[in-house]
Amino acid sequence: MKLNIYKNQKEIAKTYEVDTYDLMYGTVEDICDILDSADALKDTKSLGELIKANRTKLEELLLDIFGGEGLTRDELRKIKVAELLPLFVELFTYVRGSFQQNGKN
């Protein structure tokens, strides 16, 4: 997963990347709560509304994923929302997929 931090509208100040992210059970609980609150993967508008309604949990999730790479709370304000949407879709899809895969075994 990759997260760009912007200096301004055009320039990327830095990029944080993680190859893997081991989900903790508490994180899965938070994601399940978020997914239960709306059909998050239906469309971009629904996901945008979901992010707005769950901003605090999502900020903590970003810090959990990228904090070990150096992401700070102040840098959260310098992330483009358009780049967050695919990141959260990827993460939510992974969580849903892991439950579906585990249910089949």
Side-chain angles (χ1 to χ4, degrees):
M1 286 187 275
K2 182 171 109 172
L3 185 68
N4 291 321
I5 307 300
Y6 284 82
K7 185 176 185 176
N8 55 46
Q9 285 292 322
K10 303 270 187 212
E11 286 182 78
I12 296 173
K14 62 176 89 167
T15 299
Y16 294 108
E17 265 188 272
V18 294
D19 292 329
T20 59
Y21 174 65
D22 292 327
L23 290 170
M24 301 295 281
Y25 183 71
T27 304
V28 173
E29 282 183 318
D30 288 345
I31 292 171
C32 288
D33 288 346
I34 291 167
L35 290 174
D36 285 344
S37 67
D39 189 3
L41 301 179
K42 185 173 76 176
D43 57 41
T44 302
K45 182 180 177 191
S46 296
L47 188 57
E49 291 171 4
L50 187 73
I51 289 171
K52 181 180 175 186
N54 293 281
R55 183 177 56 88
T56 303
K57 283 183 182 178
L58 295 171
E59 286 175 356
E60 293 304 318
L61 180 58
L62 285 171
L63 290 168
D64 189 40
I65 295 170
F66 297 102
E69 302 301 310
L71 179 68
T72 66
R73 189 167 295 282
D74 290 338
E75 290 175 324
L76 294 174
R77 298 181 56 88
K78 298 175 182 177
I79 300 168
K80 288 187 178 182
V81 173
E83 293 183 13
L84 280 179
L85 297 178
L87 177 75
F88 287 134
V89 168
E90 179 183 352
L91 185 61
F92 294 165
T93 302
Y94 172 77
V95 170
R96 275 191 174 170
S98 67
F99 279 114
Q100 290 170 350
Q101 188 176 38
N102 287 336
K104 291 179 184 176
N105 290 338

